[in-house]
Amino acid sequence: QVQLVESGGDLVQPGDSLRLSCTASGFTLSSHAIGWFRQAPGKEREAVACISIAVLSSVQNRFTISRDNAKNTVYLQMPDLKFEDTAVYYCARHAGAVCRGENYDLWGQGTQVTVSS
């Protein structure tokens, strides 16, 4: 089955860190750019980070996105979390190899990140 599965979301306090995982099955993740998105209650979905196939790690918007092709997994390392980082986080497969345009053709089910004191 072709799918993306996110994991790692949790309830944390401000200043804590989390690492989200996006694991692919049914296809080779290393052949695609992969993006992370988030959607907070009552807000539009927004892009968080994207990693092209030629990149192993990149810092974007305070977060580090990285890929482990051997594990068919992309990670999102989120340090120093803030209240405004509370959202459902989704990963998505880009139809191409580079992070250009919004042509995402496969989405995961999402993982909840809640930052609360």
Side-chain angles (χ1 to χ4, degrees):
Q1 183 178 4
V2 176
Q3 62 179 357
L4 292 168
V5 178
E6 303 95 335
S7 62
D10 205 350
L11 170 62
V12 297
Q13 294 185 336
D16 286 350
S17 299
L18 274 179
R19 187 179 77 163
L20 306 183
S21 299
C22 170
T23 300
S25 59
F27 70 98
T28 302
L29 186 142
S30 61
S31 298
H32 294 267
I34 300 294
W36 279 100
F37 297 80
R38 69 185 183 185
Q39 187 164 22
K43 294 189 176 181
E44 296 286 319
R45 185 180 66 201
E46 63 176 345
V48 175
C50 181
I51 188 164
S52 300
I53 64 169
V55 177
L56 291 180
S57 180
S58 173
V59 179
Q60 300 172 30
N61 297 315
R62 298 192 292 116
F63 301 152
T64 300
I65 186 170
S66 62
R67 59 166 72 231
D68 185 335
N69 292 330
K71 295 183 178 179
N72 226 25
T73 298
V74 168
Y75 302 100
L76 186 70
Q77 182 71 44
M78 305 188 295
D80 190 25
L81 285 162
K82 307 177 188 307
F83 293 120
E84 55 264 38
D85 294 319
T86 295
V88 178
Y89 285 72
Y90 302 88
C91 64
R93 182 182 72 179
H94 197 285
V98 296
C99 296
R100 185 179 301 139
E102 296 296 317
N103 191 10
Y104 291 91
D105 61 4
L106 180 69
W107 293 79
Q109 83 290 347
T111 186
Q112 176 70 49
V113 173
T114 302
V115 184
S116 175
S117 57

